[in-house]
Amino acid sequence: MQRQVTNALAPTHDAQEHNPAAHSSPSLTWLSDAPLNTEVRITRLGHSRQEVLHLRSLGLSEKQALTVLRGRNTEPRIIASGANRVALGVDLARTIKVEVA
């Protein structure tokens, strides 16, 4: 009878199956870092209750699709959602988590 030796550290599964980067899942980023002219979807709105209320008063909400039209580095972000346009300072844009499809 032969004894089978296995390496306990060797993966016993397909590495691609459990590698999140291997799947074409959407990537999460801050709105301040989102690419220009690419549709994104809001996944988290604001860090504090006050920020959330302020962003909602501007017409933004979670799961909303929008596009960053202008804004790089420290410039304000001009975003579009449908026919609406909103300008957000970079600090406020850093409180909005978005999903890039």
Side-chain angles (χ1 to χ4, degrees), residues 4-98:
Q4 186 177 9
V5 178
T6 60
N7 184 348
L9 299 177
T12 58
H13 56 75
D14 181 11
Q16 189 174 14
E17 178 182 316
H18 294 287
N19 182 357
H23 298 289
S24 62
S25 63
S27 62
L28 294 176
T29 188
W30 297 110
L31 182 61
S32 58
D33 300 326
L36 296 178
N37 302 312
T38 302
E39 186 171 283
V40 297
R41 186 166 306 278
I42 297 174
T43 60
R44 193 175 90 200
L45 203 59
H47 292 305
S48 67
R49 178 173 163 71
Q50 182 179 5
E51 289 170 345
V52 171
L53 292 174
H54 178 64
L55 291 165
R56 286 186 181 159
S57 74
L58 295 174
L60 301 176
S61 62
E62 289 184 0
K63 299 183 182 176
Q64 180 178 1
L66 51 89
T67 304
V68 180
L69 300 177
R70 292 191 340 190
R72 291 274 185 206
N73 301 323
T74 59
E75 297 174 350
R77 302 308 188 257
I78 309 298
I79 60 172
S81 180
N84 298 323
R85 304 290 185 267
V86 176
L88 298 173
V90 69
D91 290 336
L92 193 54
R94 285 187 183 124
T95 70
I96 302 170
K97 192 68 117 173
V98 296

